[in-house]
Structure formats: structure tokens, C-alpha cells
Amino acid sequence: MLKTPYYLIDKSLLLKNMEKIAYVRQQSGAKALLALKCFATWSVFDLMQDYMDGTTSSSLFEVKLGREKFAGETHAYSVAYADNEMAEVLANSDKIIFNSISQLERFASVSREHTRGLRVNPGVSTSEFSLADPARPFSRLGEHDPAKITSVIDKVSGFMFHNNCENDSFERFDEMLTGIEARFGELLKQVKWVSLGGGIHFTGENYPIDAFCQRLKSFAQTWGVQVYLEPGEAAITNSCSLEVTVLDTLFNGKHLAIVDSSIEAHLLDLLIYREAAKLLPNQGEHDYMVCGKSCLAGDIFGEFKFEKPLQIGDRLSFQDTAGYTMVKKNWFNGVKMPAIAIKQLDGCVELVKEFTYNDFVQGLS
Ligand SMILES: *Cc1c(COP(=O)(O)O)cnc(C)c1O
């Protein structure tokens, strides 16, 4: 048995998402690029690249990773590029999408030969958190004004809209896309490709995937564009767990269990959005607050039900821990960083990465 803590990626679960993505590509004609900011654990890219068209990125390092580790197209995007990054970004990408007209103009001459796009912000989104809402007031994410965009249309051949966020409603997606068509139709006619970004939960249970495919197809036909999707969370949803061990139990008015991990260090996204970790089946008569081992008072995974009282040495498995987790893990408190293991399609579990004291030391100087 592997030593905890470790993230366990199950390729057979990942494959279910990949097959849905492949189906959408085939039925709709859209291309699908993995958003590396959500998930960059490249040991499973060998499987993913057979079902997706490539990657998209948020920085120079991500675009290089996409080029190096994932077959197919590599899209470059960043909220802002520094002058000293541009040569390498261009050398490692097939398309570059600028976030603003001023960045597009700043790099217009060096990127002359490159396929270029511009991020457009339609001013509506589905995010419930202003922290993650690309359409929040005064948002810096993309250009808003059709007239301004028209003035640089000769410099780009495509647009990127990313305004969905964990959106599991096809109706809402459809409605927002219709809004985009109404507001930016004249511009859409003048480009060759449009990326609709990520945040669409089309790999979820019961998502009306055929209606989604039809909508993408009709969008592509109406405007004469190649559509791209940039799934992050939808590509890896429910394919990973975080395996931990109970180190101590206490009773302080509630039963507490402390595990050899930390939500602050290993599942940070949940803490930021004030969500509990998922632990199944979450049934039984024994209630526990499961806590991390960092000294942050609120390092709490959540309150869960168990069939039997928890004992030191019990193993627990938090579910759905692939997206925005491994990419955000950190060395807070010097807590041992979870190893990474992969359950291969034949069921064998393979340890692919372990972190050591030396990695902790190397992270600073
Ligand atoms: C974050 C992001 C994505 C991926 O979003 P998910 O919600 O993980 O699907 C795709 N494109 C852009 C531009 C993004 O910023």
C-alpha cells in the first residue's frame, strides 16, 4: 500500500470524460483544448492527447508545458505578456490570444507572422463568486467595446470568449451565446475561429450533450468559424482523489479527526471558495470534523458521517480532487506534499511522483 498523502488519478474515470469530449468534437466539429491552469499533471497527457486537440495556457510556462508534453495545437493566452517573454511564447505556440488591444498593438510587429486572436468580454457570466467572475465590474479580462475591436480587426483572425464558470445549465449557455451573437455578430463574420473558453459542464451526468453539439455546430455554420472549447474542470471532473490517513482523534464538543494533509496546502481552491471536501459515502451514526495538520485554525476539510468511530491509522479518500488542486498545492507549514499516483486502465496503481524534503528546500532560498 502506498504511503499517504497522495493524489490518485484514475485513468478509467478520466477516460469517461475523454470519451464525452471526443463525442462532442465529432458531433459538433468543435476542437477541444485542455486548459492547463486547471490541470497540468502531465503524466496522464499520453491518454488525454488521444481525445483532445491540444492545450491552452495562461502563461509562458504553461504554453511551454503544453508544447512539450501534449500533442496537437498549443494556444497561448495571458492576461499580460512581458516584452522578454514574447519570443519564447511565439516559438512555442500555434496561436496567440491577446487580452487587450494595447497588448495586441504592443506586440503587433513581432507577432506579424503568427495566428493572432483577441479576448472579448461579453459582460455577462455564470459565476456566483466575484473572485472568479470574468464579467465582474471593471474586469481586466478582455475587450468589451465592439467599436474598438472593429478598429483592430485586420490584426486578428479569431476571438476568445471565456465567460462560463462551472455552468451546468445548457439553457444558460445557449442564452449567453445568443447574447454574444447579437452583440458581436458583425465581428464574428470577420474572423475564422472563435474559442468559447471553458467553464461549461458538458461532461456532467445528464447534461444535454446532443443539444450542446447542435448549438456549437449551428454557431460555427452561422458565422463561418472553427469553434474551440477550452475545458479545464470538465476534462478531469471526478477522476482523482486525495488519499489521507487519520493521525489523531480528539473530542472538543465535537469529534475531530486530524489527517496527514491540509486543505490549505493540498485542496486550496475549496478553502478559497468556502466549500467542503467531498467524502463518500458520508453515511452512518458517527459525526466527525475532519481537519488538516497545518496550524491554520480553519484548516478543516468538512464534517462527515461515518459507520464506525474513526481510529488512528484509518484511511480516508476525498473525491473529485483533480481540478485547481494539484496546480495550487503549496508548502505551507512544510506539510509533506502529496505524492502523485496513477491507476492505470488495467487497475495497477503506479507511483509517478514523490516530493521530498529537498523539494521543500529548493522552493525557496
Ligand atoms: C480558466 C479558463 C479555462 C478553463 O475553465 P474551466 O472552468 O476549468 O473549464 C478556459 N479558458 C480560459 C481563458 C480560462 O481562463
Side-chain angles (χ1 to χ4, degrees):
M1 209 146 74
L2 296 179
K3 260 190 286 175
T4 60
Y6 62 95
Y7 298 103
L8 177 63
I9 303 172
D10 186 331
K11 273 194 177 174
S12 67
L13 297 177
L14 189 58
L15 190 58
K16 286 191 191 175
N17 297 331
M18 291 299 111
E19 283 169 347
K20 287 187 188 170
I21 290 176
Y23 180 81
V24 168
R25 289 163 68 208
Q26 193 213 341
Q27 296 297 313
S28 71
K31 295 187 180 184
L33 307 176
L34 175 66
L36 293 173
K37 83 161 192 280
C38 171
F39 182 79
T41 311
W42 44 266
S43 290
V44 290
F45 287 180
D46 61 341
L47 174 84
M48 300 178 86
Q49 69 192 4
D50 292 341
Y51 297 84
M52 300 183 74
D53 298 281
T55 54
T56 188
S57 56
S58 329
S59 62
L60 169 61
F61 286 178
E62 281 189 358
V63 83
K64 283 176 74 172
L65 182 76
R67 176 50 62 89
E68 188 181 317
K69 302 283 192 190
F70 205 112
E73 278 187 64
T74 309
H75 283 200
Y77 164 75
S78 173
V79 170
Y81 288 112
D83 293 358
N84 61 18
E85 295 178 314
M86 193 44 54
E88 235 183 327
V89 170
L90 294 172
N92 286 286
S93 63
D94 300 291
K95 287 189 177 65
I96 185 165
I97 299 160
F98 290 104
N99 183 65
S100 68
I101 290 173
S102 72
Q103 282 254 308
L104 171 64
E105 286 178 335
R106 182 172 188 84
F107 299 113
S109 75
V110 281
S111 64
R112 205 167 48 243
E113 308 288 319
H114 220 69
T115 304
R116 294 186 296 215
L118 182 66
R119 180 166 183 174
V120 181
N121 190 326
V124 285
S125 92
T126 55
S127 181
E128 289 174 22
F129 294 93
S130 74
L131 182 63
D133 181 359
R136 62 189 270 146
F138 317 109
S139 175
R140 71 191 181 299
L141 303 171
E143 291 289 346
H144 297 73
D145 180 357
K148 274 205 212 160
I149 300 166
T150 304
S151 71
V152 292
I153 192 74
D154 58 317
K155 294 194 176 66
V156 296
S157 60
F159 295 128
M160 188 259 279
F161 295 87
H162 170 70
N163 63 323
N164 287 276
C165 185
E166 306 236 342
N167 183 7
D168 58 9
S169 160
F170 169 70
E171 287 69 30
R172 184 81 183 107
F173 166 77
D174 178 28
E175 188 183 295
M176 291 199 305
L177 192 59
T178 303
I180 287 172
E181 293 178 296
R183 179 132 187 256
F184 299 99
E186 279 309 309
L187 288 162
L188 294 174
K189 278 186 210 159
Q190 302 176 62
V191 291
K192 297 197 178 80
W193 53 274
V194 173
S195 173
L196 298 176
I200 309 163
H201 249 294
F202 64 91
T203 55
E205 293 284 322
N206 304 321
Y207 193 87
I209 203 161
D210 289 308
F212 178 59
C213 293
Q214 277 315 307
R215 186 67 179 91
L216 296 176
K217 202 170 169 178
S218 77
F219 179 87
Q221 283 168 352
T222 304
W223 306 107
V225 292
Q226 170 65 53
V227 171
Y228 285 87
L229 299 170
E230 302 177 353
E233 188 62 48
I236 45 70
T237 190
N238 281 319
S239 64
C240 182
S241 59
L242 174 62
E243 304 292 321
V244 304
T245 300
V246 175
L247 298 180
D248 197 10
T249 58
L250 292 79
F251 182 80
N252 284 339
K254 277 188 179 178
H255 288 283
L256 310 180
I258 299 171
V259 299
D260 58 354
S261 175
S262 157
I263 191 166
E264 165 88 0
H266 307 154
L267 295 177
L268 180 60
D269 210 51
L270 294 177
L271 195 65
I272 292 174
Y273 293 103
R274 310 251 183 273
E275 285 172 27
K278 283 184 212 161
L279 203 151
L280 295 172
N282 198 12
Q283 274 167 15
E285 293 177 356
H286 301 273
D287 292 323
Y288 281 84
M289 181 184 275
V290 178
C291 309
K293 64 172 277 175
S294 85
C295 62
L296 177 73
D299 191 344
I300 297 164
F301 287 91
E303 297 190 30
F304 307 101
K305 295 184 177 304
F306 297 91
E307 299 284 354
K308 285 189 271 178
L310 287 180
Q311 306 286 334
I312 292 167
D314 282 355
R315 295 252 182 154
L316 305 179
S317 173
F318 294 111
Q319 299 304 302
D320 198 12
T321 61
Y324 301 98
T325 52
M326 283 179 253
V327 291
K328 289 192 177 189
K329 63 188 167 43
N330 62 70
W331 284 110
F332 184 58
N333 267 228
V335 178
K336 188 169 195 291
M337 202 168 259
I340 301 173
I342 295 175
K343 191 170 183 188
Q344 300 292 352
L345 294 173
D346 64 8
C348 290
V349 174
E350 215 176 282
L351 186 67
V352 295
K353 180 83 186 174
E354 262 185 306
F355 299 93
T356 62
Y357 169 68
N358 205 35
D359 294 312
F360 169 60
V361 174
Q362 292 305 317
L364 288 169
S365 80

